[in-house]
């Protein structure tokens, strides 16, 4: 099962992943794009958490596999681990590692270029990797190698206070190495994997509206390269959202109700959280983009936030170009709020 956002992100992928975990025997949440910059809100049995470095089934005790398509930031990982109840996570040794230097560069440059970012160094990490200053999770396990590479990265960025940043980072890494379990893609053979996407199809690096895109494939492309799947769950709010700069058709402030659980606010680096009525042509575009990779698979639709903004589901379905095996409606942030549309 693959969970994909059909918009510009913030659609409800965490909620959907958590729901599927509750319905699946022996699940494993697999992150297959993006990285530590994700923010997936989950409410489970009264507990509330915004997941970044772990899969959205973690409150249920479901383990996570962090694939090589995702960046890994030890410092934020460690902070989040301490907020959870000993979650289990497998990490691919070839995950690119984010450093404090990537984040510092991201935050300082983002104010100038207004590209769109959560300020967590995701895009900077990938650019640095492309420029041959590579750092992988496997490098964390040989401290002399780690320090030498960090010194090179500091020079790459012409960073100040490099020694202090390196000492802080290495100290975090020492703790993180005792928590994560290294694994390759074979770990998925002993579980029923649920692939949790990050961001949304309309932010895809190939199909989104440049330059306000993420440096990641947000379609099912990566997931299907990791493991065969039989079905895809496309997630959309009942209205359209976007965080920060970029294309958003028919933008307007909507009269949203029951909105006290909204975790998306104006962000220092992303900018304002924007809204519009759902655009069916844009939703169809997203579905067609993903169909290049998922053609022939079962397709399901999940419509979230129906308690905030009611729409005519049957009318929406009549305007979409694809038939859905199942359609789900969410009227709140908890699993009990999800039901199948008949």
């Amino acid at each position: 099962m693959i969970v994909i956002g059909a918009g510009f992100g913030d659609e409800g992928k965490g909620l959907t992943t958590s729901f599927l975990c509750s319905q699946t025997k022996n699940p494993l949440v697999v992150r297959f794009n993006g990285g530590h910059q994700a923010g997936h809100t989950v409410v489970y049995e009264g507990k509330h958490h915004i997941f970044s470095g772990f899969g959205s089934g973690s409150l249920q005790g479901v383990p996570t596999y962090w694939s090589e398509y995702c960046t890994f930031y030890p410092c934020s990982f460690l902070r989040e681990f301490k907020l959870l109840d000993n979650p289990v996570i497998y990490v691919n040794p070839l995950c690119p590692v984010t450093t404090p230097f990537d984040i510092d560069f991201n935050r300082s440059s983002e104010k100038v270029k207004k590209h769109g970012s959560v300020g967590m160094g995701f895009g900077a990490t990938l650019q640095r990797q492309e420029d041959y200053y590579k750092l992988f999770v496997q490098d964390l396990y040989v401290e002399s190698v780690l320090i030498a590479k960090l010194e090179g990265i500091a020079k790459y960025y012409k960073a100040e206070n490099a020694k202090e940043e390196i000492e802080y980072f290495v100290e975090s890494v020492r703790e993180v190495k005792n928590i994560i379990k290294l694994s390759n893609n074979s770990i998925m053979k002993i579980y029923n994997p649920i692939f949790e996407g990050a961001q949304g199809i309309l932010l895809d690096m190939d199909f989104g509206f440049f330059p306000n895109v993420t440096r990641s494939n947000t379609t099912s492309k990566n997931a299907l390269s990791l493991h065969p799947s039989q079905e895809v769950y496309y997630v959309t709010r009942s209205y359209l959202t976007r965080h920060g700069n970029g294309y958003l058709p028919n933008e307007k402030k909507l009269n949203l109700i029951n909105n006290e659980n909204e975790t998306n606010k104006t962000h220092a680096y992303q900018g304002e959280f924007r809204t519009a009525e759902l655009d069916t042509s844009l939703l169809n575009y997203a579905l067609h983009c993903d169909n290049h990779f998922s053609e022939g698979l079962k397709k399901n639709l999940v419509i979230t936030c129906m308690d905030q903004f009611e729409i005519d589901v049957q009318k929406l379905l009549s305007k979409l170009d694809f038939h859905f095996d199942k359609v789900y409606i969410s009227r709140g942030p908890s699993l009990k709020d999800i039901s199948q549309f008949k």
Side-chain angles (χ1 to χ4, degrees), residues 171-187:
E171 187 61 35
S172 296
V173 166
R174 288 172 183 156
E175 289 190 68
V176 167
K177 289 189 296 185
N178 294 322
I179 299 171
I180 64 176
K181 303 174 186 294
L182 294 186
S183 180
N184 58 26
N185 297 332
S186 63
I187 190 66

Side-chain angles (χ1 to χ4, degrees), residues 57-92:
S58 298
L59 293 180
Q60 302 175 47
V62 176
T64 300
Y65 174 53
W66 209 254
S67 77
E68 67 268 30
Y69 288 114
C70 299
T71 57
F72 181 80
Y73 183 39
C75 302
S76 65
F77 170 88
L78 189 59
R79 289 192 292 269
E80 186 173 1
F81 176 81
K82 293 176 179 178
L83 296 174
L84 299 169
D85 186 17
N86 293 314
V88 175
I89 183 167
Y90 302 93
V91 181
N92 191 291

Side-chain angles (χ1 to χ4, degrees), residues 183 188 193 209 222:
S183 180
M188 291 181 282
F209 302 87
N222 292 349

